[in-house]
């Protein structure tokens, strides 16, 4: 009888493990299929970048980074990889040649493992450290430690300078979109209209769009549940990649 009970226990354990494995695999397949997500319409208070109105906003905007970012842009290959896509887009705009998979170097995985990033995304601090692992110079700022005017000053300086890039971490719901925490690069700033142009890494869901600076700041001034800190932004300067000597390669 004891042997039978033991075998039953083993069977239940194996079955539970199998179900857990199937559940994880099912979740991974869902995460890895962003193309299956239905496209959404932008809320009326946001302006599509490629629309006539969006083009007019661009005409009077500061947009030093836009061309490089647009050329290097990658949409996120997994539903949770908005931070990965943003980082790769910025690094490549600065002269690198990375895929979203090759972004996960050993140094990057020490900051945040591939599994954690894939199943839970990343908080702002980890994004900054992962970029540093790719020899970028990064300044991370949490919205709770700043004002909207501080953010406007950063936008003005960044959008006037082709040598640096800006990534924002914000809550989609605050800007009237479906979803939660999200990360994307900023491509332009219209000081006259007080709007910024966002290159949404979830391109399958929302196109590039303009939104009010005050609304973005409010969306950044929300709490990330993992870090228990507010979201915010990262200013990124992509340093030239260190050359590797023949001795080091050997």
């Amino acid at each position: 009888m004891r042997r039978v009970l033991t075998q039953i226990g083993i069977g239940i354990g194996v079955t539970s493990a199998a179900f857990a494995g199937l559940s994880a695999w099912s979740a991974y397949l869902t995460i890895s299929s962003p193309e299956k997500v239905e496209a959404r319409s932008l809320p009326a208070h946001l302006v599509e970048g490629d629309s006539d109105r969006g083009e007019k906003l661009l005409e009077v905007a500061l947009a030093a980074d836009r061309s490089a970012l647009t050329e290097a842009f990658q949409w996120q290959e997994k539903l949770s990889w908005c931070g990965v896509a943003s980082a790769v887009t910025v690094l490549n705009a600065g002269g690198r040649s990375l895929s979203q998979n090759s972004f996960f170097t050993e140094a990057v995985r020490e900051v945040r493992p591939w599994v954690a990033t894939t199943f839970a995304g990343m908080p702002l601090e980890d994004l900054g450290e992962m970029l540093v692992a790719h020899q970028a110079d990064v300044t991370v700022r949490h919205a709770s430690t700043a004002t909207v005017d501080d953010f406007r000053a950063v936008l003005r300086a960044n959008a006037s300078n082709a040598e640096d890039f800006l990534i924002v971490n914000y809550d989609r719901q605050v800007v009237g979109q479906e979803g939660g925490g999200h990360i994307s690069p900023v491509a332009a700033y219209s000081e006259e209209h007080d709007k910024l142009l966002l290159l949404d890494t979830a391109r399958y869901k929302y196109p590039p769009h303009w939104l009010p600076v005050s609304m973005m700041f409010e969306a950044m001034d929300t709490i990330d549940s993992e870090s228990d800190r507010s979201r915010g932004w990262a200013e990124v300067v992509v340093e030239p990649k260190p050359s590797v000597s023949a001795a080091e390669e050997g």
Side-chain angles (χ1 to χ4, degrees):
M1 183 65 177
R2 182 179 299 173
R3 182 179 179 184
V4 172
L5 290 175
T6 300
Q7 291 176 339
I8 291 173
I10 293 172
I12 291 173
V14 170
T15 302
S16 297
F19 274 117
L22 286 173
S23 178
W25 179 244
S26 177
Y28 177 73
L29 289 177
T30 299
I31 290 168
S32 300
S33 304
E35 71 280 357
K36 294 182 179 179
V37 175
E38 184 179 352
R40 308 293 199 272
S41 297
L42 284 173
H45 58 275
L46 305 182
V47 180
E48 185 172 347
D50 292 335
S51 67
D52 289 342
R53 188 179 170 199
E55 291 292 340
K56 289 186 181 301
L57 285 169
L58 186 61
E59 288 176 3
V60 295
L62 299 170
D65 298 331
R66 179 177 174 272
S67 294
L69 287 171
T70 300
E71 184 176 342
F73 180 80
Q74 294 189 19
W75 72 1
Q76 59 196 76
E77 295 177 2
K78 300 187 189 303
L79 296 178
S80 51
W81 278 14
C82 55
V84 176
S86 295
V88 169
T89 293
V90 162
L91 289 168
N92 288 355
R96 304 297 176 80
S97 182
L98 292 167
S99 68
Q100 290 177 48
N101 283 318
S102 67
F103 174 74
F104 287 93
T105 62
E106 182 177 350
V108 166
R109 293 195 301 271
E110 288 179 1
V111 174
R112 189 171 182 84
W114 181 93
V115 171
T117 303
T118 300
F119 283 93
M122 66 179 71
L124 180 61
E125 292 287 354
D126 282 3
L127 170 64
E129 291 182 23
M130 292 160 100
L131 283 161
V132 169
H134 278 281
Q135 296 85 46
D137 183 6
V138 184
T139 300
V140 166
R141 187 76 183 270
H142 295 273
S144 61
T145 69
T147 67
V148 67
D149 284 336
D150 292 332
F151 183 51
R152 288 189 179 100
V154 168
L155 284 168
R156 188 181 307 111
N158 174 265
S160 302
N161 182 8
E163 302 301 319
D164 62 359
F165 303 96
L166 185 65
I167 298 174
V168 289
N169 174 209
Y170 64 103
D171 187 336
R172 277 198 187 278
Q173 294 187 12
V174 176
V175 302
Q177 298 175 342
E178 292 185 16
H182 192 53
I183 299 172
S184 286
V186 174
Y189 170 52
S190 173
E191 189 169 10
E192 178 180 341
H193 297 90
D194 201 34
K195 295 180 186 296
L196 61 85
L197 176 61
L198 196 72
L199 295 186
D200 196 326
T201 55
R203 184 66 60 86
Y204 51 85
K205 190 173 181 180
Y206 292 109
H209 52 274
W210 294 89
L211 67 162
V213 171
S214 58
M215 181 176 289
M216 173 55 74
F217 187 81
E218 183 182 351
M220 292 189 297
D221 197 13
T222 54
I223 299 300
D224 177 274
S225 59
E226 179 177 337
S227 66
D228 202 31
R229 299 189 67 181
S230 76
R231 298 176 173 89
W233 65 86
E235 301 165 58
V236 185
V237 176
V238 182
E239 303 289 351
K241 189 173 182 181
S243 59
V244 179
S245 67
E248 290 174 321
E249 287 180 343

